Amino acid sequence: MGKITLKSVSKSFGATSVIPRIDLDIADGEFVVFVGPSGCGKSTLLRLIAGLEDTTEGTILIDGRDVTNEAPARRGLAMVFQSYALYPHMSVYNNIAFPLKMAGEDKSAIDKKVKDAARVLNLTNYLERRPGQLSGGQRQRVAIGRAIVRQPKAFLFDEPLSNLDAALRGTMRLEISELHQQLGTTMVYVTHDQVEAMTMADKIVVLNAGKIEQVGSPLELYRSPSNLFVAGFIGSPRMNFIEGAPAAKHGAKTIGIRPEHLAISASSGEWKGTVGVAEHLGADTFVHVHTNGLGTINVRAPGEIGVEHGQAVWLTPDPSKLHRFGADGRAL
Ligand code: ADP
Ligand code: MG
């Protein structure tokens, strides 16, 4: 079991409040992602759950048991960091076995757990190597293996893929998602990358300056962001925001429309503009359109469309995909 509950949890460093006051429920087996810009308090929140930081106020429960004042080692959680923190002089086998040896488990039990973890992580053929003889992705898998053998109630990941190149990040994303499906263990995953959040999470917690802006499934946040911050943070390319008369027409201070929800035409439409840069990606074309009075509006058109710099175009938003926000930034 790995149900985690935060009740009115806050954290200050001296006079600086980093997490004002948070309530959050993480269900057993859930994959929860904390996402938000750098410095918003993601790592602090994860470290509070791990017990690596003391809470200033509030209560943390794991499976209903109050662990607020319990030492990290007694919480039954396993943390995986961005830096792998492997022992360079030990083999992969011994790196994975290390926490079990420290716990005094017997040799045959350790052997089985290490080999099971290695199988799940495709490390069976690398058990005799040293970390220096592995790729970055393999090293990160060893670090995950060391967490798996402890059979934790939950895995806590702090930006585990940030040190990897883009292609490897994509592969590792899939591997961690598959691992979650195999193990069914609760995972709490911190990232500043909204693509990681969208692709991996059952539930996303969007943080901004220590506050929870919204909690929901990836598609709930995509379809119904509850405020301007979430609307601008989730989705790539970013949502376009328009103020003034076109927004007032919809009874809003600001309207938002995603690039993929705009039609582009050379002959007619609602908003007129001129093509600035067109990015031809093959599968999609991203067109940056400079309008008269509405600023630059970005459009994502499927496939290859033949637009040129300087060409006059018309844009039309899909009315069913328009987001409306009031003066306080909240969705209407
Ligand atoms: P994130 O992981 O989202 O980038 P952090 O949780 O690391 O953000 O940091 C949140 C805020 O708390 C930052 O403003 C950071 O400077 C501050 N902070 C983090 N740890 C400490 C600390 N030990 N002492 C003082 N301030 C800290
Ligand atoms: Mg961090």
Side-chain angles (χ1 to χ4, degrees), residues 123-174:
L123 288 170
T124 303
N125 295 331
Y126 300 93
L127 286 171
E128 298 315 315
R129 292 205 192 174
R130 301 269 167 98
Q133 299 166 300
L134 300 176
S135 69
Q138 289 167 333
R139 271 181 240 169
Q140 189 55 280
R141 294 213 292 267
V142 177
I144 295 171
R146 199 165 51 188
I148 289 179
V149 292
R150 293 173 51 204
Q151 297 172 312
K153 291 181 179 151
F155 291 90
L156 309 180
F157 292 96
D158 194 352
E159 310 235 11
L161 308 185
S162 300
N163 282 347
L164 308 177
D165 66 48
L168 196 52
R169 272 209 304 276
T171 313
M172 286 298 293
R173 231 163 51 207
L174 281 174

Side-chain angles (χ1 to χ4, degrees), residues 22 35-37 40 204-216 221 224-231 233-234 328-330:
I22 274 185
V35 71
C40 72
I204 299 179
V205 178
V206 182
L207 290 165
N208 180 24
K211 285 205 324 283
I212 296 181
E213 293 278 357
Q214 193 172 356
V215 177
L221 299 192
S224 314
S226 62
N227 55 54
L228 282 171
F229 181 85
V230 177
F233 195 78
I234 297 289
D328 59 1
R330 301 196 147 274

